[in-house]
Amino acid sequence: MKDYVFSFEEIKEGNTEEAQFLLGNKGAQLCEMTSKGLPVPPGFTITTEGCREFYDLGKKWPVGLNEQVKKKLEALEKKMGKKLGDDKNPLFVSVRSGSYVSMPGMMETILNLGMNDKSVVAFGSQTKNERAAWDSYRRFIQMFGDVVLEIDMPKFEHVLEKAKETKGVSFDTELDAEDLKKIVSEYKAIVKQEKGKEFPQNPWEQLTLSIDAVFSSWNCTRALAYRRINKLRDDAGTGVNVQSMVFGNMGNDSGTGVAFTRNPANGNKEHYGEFLINAQGEDVVAGIRTPEPIDALKKYLPKAYEELIETYEILEKNYKEMQDFEFTIEKNKLYLLQTRKGKRTAHAAVKIAVDMEKEGIISKEEAVLRVDPNQLNQLLHKQLDPIAREKHEVIAKGLAASPGAAVGKAVFNAEKAKDMFEKNPKEKIVLIRTETSPEDIEGMHVSQGFLTARGGITSHAAVVARGMGKPCVSGCGEITVHEKEGYFEVPSKGIKIKEFEIVSLDGATGEVYQGEIPLVEPQMKGEFGELMKWADSFKKLGVRTNADTPHDAQVARNFGAEGIGLCRTEHMFFEGERIKAMREMILADTLEGRKKALTKLLPYQKADFLGLFEAMNGLDVTIRLLDPPLHEFLPREEKDIKDLATEMKISVEKVKSTIHALHEFNPMLGFRGCRLAIVYPEIAEMQVQAIIEAAIDSKRKGIDAKAEIMVPVLCLENEMKFMKELIDNTAKAIMQTKGEKVKYKVGVMMELPRACIIADKIAEHAEFFSFGTNDLTQTTFGFSRDDAGTFIKHYLDKKIFKDDPFESVDQEGVGELIKMSVSKGRKTKPELKVGICGEQGGDPKSVEFCHNVGLSYVSCSPFRVPIARLAAAHAALKDKKK
Amino acid sequence: MKDYVFSFEEIKEGNTEEAQFLLGNKGAQLCEMTSKGLPVPPGFTITTEGCREFYDLGKKWPVGLNEQVKKKLEALEKKMGKKLGDDKNPLFVSVRSGSYVSMPGMMETILNLGMNDKSVVAFGSQTKNERAAWDSYRRFIQMFGDVVLEIDMPKFEHVLEKAKETKGVSFDTELDAEDLKKIVSEYKAIVKQEKGKEFPQNPWEQLTLSIDAVFSSWNCTRALAYRRINKLRDDAGTGVNVQSMVFGNMGNDSGTGVAFTRNPANGNKEHYGEFLINAQGEDVVAGIRTPEPIDALKKYLPKAYEELIETYEILEKNYKEMQDFEFTIEKNKLYLLQTRKGKRTAHAAVKIAVDMEKEGIISKEEAVLRVDPNQLNQLLHKQLDPIAREKHEVIAKGLAASPGAAVGKAVFNAEKAKDMFEKNPKEKIVLIRTETSPEDIEGMHVSQGFLTARGGITSHAAVVARGMGKPCVSGCGEITVHEKEGYFEVPSKGIKIKEFEIVSLDGATGEVYQGEIPLVEPQMKGEFGELMKWADSFKKLGVRTNADTPHDAQVARNFGAEGIGLCRTEHMFFEGERIKAMREMILADTLEGRKKALTKLLPYQKADFLGLFEAMNGLDVTIRLLDPPLHEFLPREEKDIKDLATEMKISVEKVKSTIHALHEFNPMLGFRGCRLAIVYPEIAEMQVQAIIEAAIDSKRKGIDAKAEIMVPVLCLENEMKFMKELIDNTAKAIMQTKGEKVKYKVGVMMELPRACIIADKIAEHAEFFSFGTNDLTQTTFGFSRDDAGTFIKHYLDKKIFKDDPFESVDQEGVGELIKMSVSKGRKTKPELKVGICGEQGGDPKSVEFCHNVGLSYVSCSPFRVPIARLAAAHAALKDKKK
C-alpha cells in the first residue's frame, strides 16, 4: 500500500522539487522548517498523489488513506497530549490546501476544526478565555458552513452584523462571550435550516468532510482559471495539510501576521510585513482592522518580536531567497504557519539578486538566474501609476502586445493624428483603429500608443509598436471602432468613447481605461546594469536588434545590442517624398520609368544606411531587401487615389487598374520578397547600390560599416543564385566606379518551409541564415497571423495547444525545421552564421531554444534586448548545469 | 586528344541513348542504318561534345577538331573516289545539325556544299545534266548566303522570281541551264554587294564556315524558344553531320520524299508519306509543287518503289517503332538520309502500340510504355475540328487548364447563364469571368466551358472544370473582362467580344477563337480499352478519383477509378435551398441557432453521401469534412446582401457585420478546415451524422458503403485527437440510436508542413493520410496559387525553376515532406494507408513519384483517371527495370 500521509517530522528535506510536488509547496516547507528547528505547530500532510487518485476514483478516497489519516491523527494527538474535539483536553487543527506551486487564495482553508458544543467549553475553561473559545467556534462554523456545506456566506455575516448593530459596536473584538454564544446558536440554526440536519459535532466527520472539500477545491472554477492563466499543470493535484491550531485570538498577548524577509516592492533589506493583535489569519486579509507594520510589534510583545527578527535571518540563511511567511503568536509564543518564496517586482528582483550576491548568500550565476527575463519588461517602460489605476475601471482588455503605458486623446485616423501633432507637438495621442496599416506609419510615430480591435500580438500595430518601443493593446475584440464616425464603443458595457476623450492603456497587461491615469518613470538603478554585466559574461548567444532607423539602432545599442539583425528597408519608403517616388516606380509601365523613380529613392536609402552604419560602427548591420507586396505602397481611399493621379499626372483609371492588378487574395503568399527582385531586378540593384555606396562613404569617414545583405522570402536554390549574382555584380560595379573596396556578406532570411528543407543547397551561396520565425510559423502551421486570432483563443481554451506559436517558437514543428536547417546548412558550410530575427527573438523560451540548437545570435526589438541578454545567460547557465 | 569526329561506319550501335547524346539523334541513326546495311550515303558526324567545347571556348573550335575533320573528309573522298569541289571529279556534301532530341526545323542545314565555278561544270558534264548542276549551284549559293553569310533571303528569291517572270513560267523546273547560269551570276553579285567580297570558291572554307554556322544555330532564338517550350536541355549542343550528297534533282528518274512506317494520325499500318520527282528536300517542305502519296511512286519508278517498301519493313523490324524517315532517289537508286521515331496523335499511339504487340514486335510492357500518359488527354474530350480551326485566328492564349473544346455564346455572369439555360436547356454557353468563385457554381454547371482572365491552373475555375470534365482556359492575361458592361476585349489586338457572340476554346492548348469551330467526337476504340487493361495488370498504385457527386463518381468508375480519394463536401452546400440553410447557420449567433440550420442541411448531406455510396458500392469513399472559410458562403454583391437580409428577416447591417467579421487577409491561412470544427463542433457532428446514417441506410439496402472520414487543414496532434473523439462519439451515438453498426475509417488530409513534421504523432490517431498537394505546395513554397501567376511565368522564363510546382509535385521540397511523412507515419503504424488527392494526383511525373515513395494510391479528377492508371503502370515498369 502507498504512503499517502506524512507527519512534518518525517520528511527531512522539504525544499526540493520532489518534496514540493509530492506534498505541495506548503506541506513541503512545513517539513523543511520543522527539520530546521523552527517553531512549527505539529501536523501532517496528505500527498498530492492522494488527491490525484481521489480524482481518478471519481472523487473517492484511495484504499488506505482513511486508515493512514487516522493513524497520523492519533500520533499527533499523542504528541500534543490532546484529543481532537475532546470534551476535556481538546486538540484543534487547521486543514489547508497546497499545490506544487503556490496558488494564493484559489483553494480552500478551514481553521479551528474540532470545535463542537463540548470542546468549546473545555477550551474556554482550559485557556481561561471563554470569549476566544466561542469566537473560534463561531469562526469554525462559518468556514465549515461556507467551504464544506456550501452555505452562502452572507447568511452568516448578516447575523454577525446584526449582533454588532444591536450592541452598538463596530468590531468583532468588542463582542463578548455571551454575544458569541448567541451567534453560535444562530449559526447552527442556519445550518439546520439550510442543510436539514444539525451541524456535525463529530470531529472525525468534520475532518473527513473538510479533506474532501480541500481535494475538491483543486478543480473549482477560480483554481482552473488561475492555472490556465499561469500555465500550471492541471494534473498535479493539491496536498492537504492538517496542522494543530495555535490561536492568535487569545487576547492581547496573541496575534497573527504576514512578513517578507525583504521589501518585495523595492528590494530593500528591511522588516517588511504587518500584523494584528488578538486576531486569526483571516482578519489580516479581511481588512476590517488596519494591521500595523512589523517593527510596531516591538512595543507590544518585545520577546515575540525578537524571535520574529531572528526568524527573518534563519529563513534567508536556510532558503537563500527572500521569503514570504505567515506567523501566529499565541500567548507570547511565536509559531510559523507557512513560508514560501516571496513574489516581488522586477525592480526588487534585480536588487535582491545583486544584494544577495554582495552579501555572499548566492553566486553571480545564481543571481542572474534569480531574475525572470520577462519581468525586465517592467523596468524598460513608463508605467501607469499603480495606485491611481486602482481607482479606474478596466473598460476593455485586449492582447498585451507591446509593454508600457500610454495616456492621451483618442484619435481614430492616422492622418488626423499627424495633423494634430504638427499643430501642437506636445499633443498626447492614443491612436485607435480597427487595425493599422503601413499607411498609418506617420500617425503612429506621433502617438503615445496604439489600440486595435483586430490583429494578434504580431499584427502590424504590435510589431511597429515594439519596434518603436511604444505601448500597444491589439486584438481588443470587445471594442468596435467607428473610424469615420469618430468613436469607439464597448457594446457589452454600453460604453462609448468619442474622439479627443482621454484614454489610458497598459500594454503590459492589455488593459484599457477611460480617463487619465498618471504615469510613473521607469526605474533603472545601478544593480540592473551590474546584473546585466554578469549576464553577458555567461551568455553564449549574440543579441542583436531589429532596427530601421539610426534612432532605434542607438536605443538598442544603449540597451546592449551587439548588431542589427534586421533592418526592414520598406519602412523607409513611407515618409514624405519617398512614398511619392515609390508610387511613381510602381505605376511606371517601363523599365526606364521604374529606374527613373528608383533614382529618386537612392539618396534617401543611402542616407538611411549611412545613419545605421554610423550608429552601429564596428557592429554587423543586416539589411533586408524589399519585402512587402507592392500594393502596400498604394493608397486605398478614393480621395487618396485621386490625389495620387493628379500628382502623377495620370488618369484615376490607371491608378485603379494598377491597384486592381496588384490585388492579391493571399498577400502573405504573394508577389513579395525576392520574387519582386527577380521580376524587377532594378529595385534590388538600387538598394544594393545604396548599401555599398553608404559603406564606401562610411569607410572614407573612418566608420567601420559591416553590411550584411539579406534576401527575403526565398524558397529555391536558383533564387539564391540569382540574387547572389545580382548583389555581387552590382557591388562590384559600384566599387569599381568609386575606386574603393568594402566588404559585405550575402545571406538569406529563412522564412519558408521549403528553404529549410533545402538549406544545404542554399548554404552553398549564402554566408548567413536568419530565421524569420513570423512567416515561418505562418507557413508551417498554415496560420495567417492577421486572421488566426479567431481560433487561437479557442485553441488555448480547449488546450489544443499550450502556447500561442506566435509568442514562443513552436519547438515541435517550426523548431524541427530550424534544427534541420542549421544542421543541413552547417554541413555545407561549417562556419555558417545563423540567427533569428522574428518577433520571437526576444521571447525567453525561444531564446533558450536558440541557444540549445546552436544559433549564433538572436535579434529582437530594441526594448527587448536586455530581456534577450538575460534569457541567453539563463540558457547558457542551464545548459552548463546539464 | 579527344575524338570529335566519327564516320558513319565507325559506330555500330546508333540506336542507344549514349550514341544519341554524343552524336545527336540524326547522326546516331545514320550510323545505325549504315551498320544495318541500309543505303545511307557515306559521311561523318562531329560530336555534340565538339559543339559544347566550341561554346566553352567562346565560339572557337577545340584543339584537334580541324585536323580530325580534314582526316575524315579525306577518308570520305577516298571512299567515294571523288574530291570535295574538284574541277574534274567533284564530291558534294550536305552539312546538317542534329541534337539528342529531334528539333525539326529549328537549326540550320546546307546542301550541295562543294559547288563552285569549276565543280559545277565538271558535275554537269559528268552527270550529263548541265541543268541539274547549275540548279544545285544556285541552291547552294542561296542556302550558304542565308545561313552562313546572313544575307536576307528575299534578295535571292526576288532574282529567281524575276527570272521566271521574264521567261513567263511558274516552276523552277521550267528554267533551263542558261537561265540558271544567269541567276547564279546575279546571286554572286548579291553576295559581293552585301558582304564586300566574292562568294567563297574554296570548298574547305565553305565547309568550315558551314560547320561554324550549324554550331551557332544551336543558340539561335527559335531553337532556344523550342527548347524552353519543350523543356529540353540547353547544355546538350548539336552534332554536325557531313554527308556525301545524293541528288533528287537529276531529272525524272530522281526525286525526294518523307515517309512514315505507319499512319501517324490514325495508327493504321499503311504506306504513309509523300514525294516529289526531280526535286531536293526543301522543295517538299516549300509546298510550291504538291507532293504525291508514296504509292504513286510505283508508276514512276517501280524499282525504287519496291526498295522503299522493303525499307518500311526493315526499319520497323530494326527499330521496333514507327519511323519517320527521309529519302532521296538519285537516278533510280534509293538513299536514306535520316530516320527518327515518328510523332503521332494519341489515337495513333495507342493503336500502334497495341498492333505492334499483336504483330509480335513488342511485349505488352513495351506497348504500355509506348503511350505517353499525358497524351491520353486527347482521347477523353471533344476536340475542335483540326481542319476548321486552321481557318480561325487565335485571338488570345491562356493556360491550358482543363482539356477539351467548348463552343458557345459568351456570357459574363453565372446567374445569367443559369437563367438562359433554364429557358432553353440546349443553349450552348461559354462562361467568361475575370475569375470564378463558388457562387458561380450553378452557372458553371450549365456552361460548355470557362475562360478566365486570372487564376492559375489550379484556380477555382480550373479545379471545377477538371472536376466536371469541362474545358477551361484560365489565367488568360491578354483579355480584360468587363462583367458589368457585358463584353471582353483583347486590347493588344483591338478585339472586343460582346455578350452572346460565339467563341471557341481549346482547353488542351489554351487557345481562344472568335466564332464557331465545329467539334469532333473523342475516338475511343477497342485498342484503348485493351491497352488500359494491360496497364492495370502492371501498376502497383491504386487510382481513385476526386468526385463530389454521384454523377462524377460514376463517370470516374467508368474510367476505371478504384474508389473516391476526395469528396469535397462544401461543393454540396451551394445549390438551391442548401445555401440558404448554410447562410442561416453562419448568421446564427447561438449554438441553438446554428444547430437549427444544420438540421436543415442534414437530409441533403445524407442524400448526397447515399448517392456516392451507391455509385461506389464496395469501393472506398473518402469524405473530407467542411474545408473552406465560412465567408465563401456569404454573398458579396450589395443586392445579394439585401436579398439575404430580407429572406433571413435580419438587418442588412447584421449581414454586413458578419461578412466584415469573417473577412480575412489571407483566407488560405485562415479560419477553415478542422479549425472550424474545433470552434463549432456542431458542424462536423452534423456531417458525421449524415455520413454514418447514409452508411447505415446503404447497408440496409445491401450496398457496401466504405466511408473514410477525412479531417482537413490539420497541423497539431491535439486537433487530431479532438476530431477523432468527436467523430467516434458522434458515430457511436448514431449507431446506438439506429441499432445498426457500420465500419468507417478516420484519417487526415496532410496539407500543411507542420502535419508532415509530426506525422508520427498524428498517425497514432489516424488510419490514413491523404496528401493535399495543392495546399502543401502553397505553404511549403509560400506561394498562393491564386496570386503566384504574376511571378511564376517570370520564374519559368528565367529558369528559376523548370516546372510549375502546381503542375507536378516539387520533389526536392514538397516531395521531401511527403517522404518524411510516409516514413514517420508508417513507423508508428506500418499498415497506414497513404494517398494523394491534390490536383497533381493526375500528373504522370507526380504519379511516378508517388509510386516511388510507396504511396497506396493517387486520386485525381475523373477525366484524368485513365492517365493516372497508365502513368502508374509506367512507374511500376520503370521501377521493375531498375
Side-chain angles (χ1 to χ4, degrees), chain A residues 606-617:
Chain A
K606 194 176 150 181
D608 291 329
F609 298 139
L610 198 56
L612 288 177
F613 291 146
E614 273 172 351
M616 300 309 276
N617 188 356

Side-chain angles (χ1 to χ4, degrees), chain A residues 694-745:
Chain A
I696 289 173
D697 286 5
S698 298
K699 191 176 175 184
R700 288 177 175 163
K701 287 166 96 177
I703 292 158
D704 181 12
K706 303 179 92 167
E708 301 189 328
I709 301 173
M710 181 155 73
V711 179
V713 196
L714 184 136
C715 67
L716 294 155
E717 184 185 2
N718 278 342
E719 288 175 328
M720 190 65 216
K721 274 195 205 167
F722 183 101
M723 293 305 297
K724 171 90 169 121
E725 220 175 280
L726 180 153
I727 293 167
D728 286 348
N729 288 345
T730 308
K732 207 169 143 188
I734 306 292
M735 291 193 260
Q736 266 171 358
T737 310
K738 297 270 171 185
E740 183 87 65
K741 278 194 179 171
V742 288
K743 281 186 188 164
Y744 63 93
K745 288 196 168 79

Side-chain angles (χ1 to χ4, degrees), chain A residues 678 719 754 795 798 810, chain B residues 678 719 754 795 798 810:
Chain A
I678 289 169
E719 288 175 328
R754 199 181 188 286
Y795 271 40
K798 296 190 176 172
D810 156 54
Chain B
I678 288 169
E719 288 175 329
R754 199 181 187 285
Y795 271 40
K798 295 188 177 171
D810 156 54

Side-chain angles (χ1 to χ4, degrees), chain A residues 127-363:
Chain A
T127 58
K128 302 198 173 67
N129 191 336
E130 201 183 4
R131 188 204 164 277
W134 286 95
D135 185 41
S136 300
Y137 193 14
R138 181 222 20 116
R139 287 170 190 262
F140 175 55
I141 300 173
Q142 189 167 338
M143 274 192 198
F144 192 91
D146 170 31
V147 171
V148 179
L149 304 175
E150 296 176 335
I151 296 168
D152 288 348
M153 277 292 262
K155 292 208 161 67
F156 297 112
E157 277 159 11
H158 180 68
V159 170
L160 188 63
E161 286 312 307
K162 231 175 53 189
K164 287 192 277 186
E165 220 172 273
T166 310
K167 195 164 187 181
V169 299
S170 320
F171 296 111
D172 302 2
T173 44
E174 293 168 295
L175 296 172
D176 63 21
E178 288 314 307
D179 301 326
L180 290 162
K181 276 184 198 169
K182 237 186 275 170
I183 291 172
V184 163
S185 97
E186 284 183 54
Y187 274 16
K188 288 199 288 185
I190 291 172
V191 170
K192 176 101 194 258
Q193 189 189 331
E194 291 289 319
K195 308 308 289 184
K197 50 185 181 182
E198 298 295 340
F199 179 79
Q201 295 291 320
N202 179 335
W204 178 252
E205 190 187 345
Q206 292 175 356
L207 180 61
T208 52
L209 287 174
S210 296
I211 292 171
D212 262 358
V214 171
F215 277 162
S216 296
S217 71
W218 172 252
N219 276 342
C220 70
T221 316
R222 63 173 184 244
L224 284 168
Y226 183 89
R227 290 201 297 274
R228 194 178 61 238
I229 293 160
N230 292 281
K231 294 182 182 170
L232 301 177
R233 288 175 61 166
D234 271 335
D235 62 351
T238 180
V240 183
N241 301 291
V242 178
Q243 188 174 24
S244 50
M245 280 298 301
V246 286
F247 293 87
N249 55 346
M250 295 296 274
N252 287 336
D253 57 353
S254 301
T256 191
V258 173
F260 287 78
T261 57
R262 299 187 188 222
N263 185 323
N266 61 24
N268 288 346
K269 192 169 181 180
E270 58 197 24
H271 301 144
Y272 192 90
E274 53 193 17
F275 71 95
L276 272 178
I277 288 289
N278 194 16
Q280 277 201 317
E282 77 249 40
D283 299 323
V284 181
V285 183
I288 298 168
R289 285 190 283 155
T290 305
E292 292 183 73
I294 291 294
D295 285 337
L297 186 61
K298 197 171 181 178
K299 64 178 181 213
Y300 298 112
L301 303 167
K303 188 180 146 274
Y305 173 76
E306 282 313 315
E307 271 182 74
L308 185 65
I309 297 313
E310 269 167 50
T311 302
Y312 272 92
E313 295 301 318
I314 298 169
L315 284 174
E316 274 214 352
K317 210 170 140 191
N318 185 56
Y319 287 103
K320 300 178 192 308
E321 229 321 4
M322 190 263 270
Q323 292 293 302
D324 159 6
F325 64 100
E326 290 177 18
F327 62 90
T328 285
I329 299 166
E330 186 184 274
K331 296 177 172 287
N332 238 325
K333 162 123 191 63
L334 179 75
Y335 293 95
L336 300 186
L337 303 182
Q338 158 168 344
T339 189
R340 61 189 171 201
K341 197 173 88 176
K343 290 205 191 299
R344 64 209 79 179
T345 64
H347 182 72
V350 170
K351 175 150 177 59
I352 292 170
V354 173
D355 283 353
M356 284 195 165
E357 194 275 341
K358 303 241 150 129
E359 293 162 25
I361 300 173
I362 57 175
S363 65

Side-chain angles (χ1 to χ4, degrees), chain B residues 248-266:
Chain B
N249 58 345
M250 294 297 274
N252 288 337
D253 57 353
S254 302
T256 192
V258 173
F260 286 79
T261 57
R262 301 192 187 219
N263 185 324
N266 61 24

Side-chain angles (χ1 to χ4, degrees), chain A residues 660 665-669 675 678 718-719 752 754 761 780-782 784 787 795 798 800 810 812, chain B residues 454 660 665-669 675 678 718-719 752 754 761 780-782 784 787 795 798 800 810 812:
Chain A
H660 185 65
F665 296 98
N666 296 290
M668 162 64 207
L669 307 175
R675 299 162 193 173
I678 289 169
N718 278 342
E719 288 175 328
L752 294 171
R754 199 181 188 286
K761 290 170 188 162
T780 304
F781 277 81
S784 158
D787 306 312
Y795 271 40
K798 296 190 176 172
I800 301 292
D810 156 54
E812 184 181 65
Chain B
R454 288 219 230 140
H660 185 65
F665 296 99
N666 295 290
M668 162 65 206
L669 307 175
R675 299 161 193 175
I678 288 169
N718 278 342
E719 288 175 329
L752 293 170
R754 199 181 187 285
K761 291 171 188 162
T780 305
F781 278 80
S784 156
D787 306 312
Y795 271 40
K798 295 188 177 171
I800 301 292
D810 156 54
E812 185 181 64

Side-chain angles (χ1 to χ4, degrees), chain B residues 252-280:
Chain B
N252 288 337
D253 57 353
S254 302
T256 192
V258 173
F260 286 79
T261 57
R262 301 192 187 219
N263 185 324
N266 61 24
N268 288 345
K269 192 169 181 180
E270 57 196 25
H271 300 143
Y272 191 90
E274 52 192 18
F275 72 96
L276 273 177
I277 288 289
N278 194 14
Q280 279 200 317

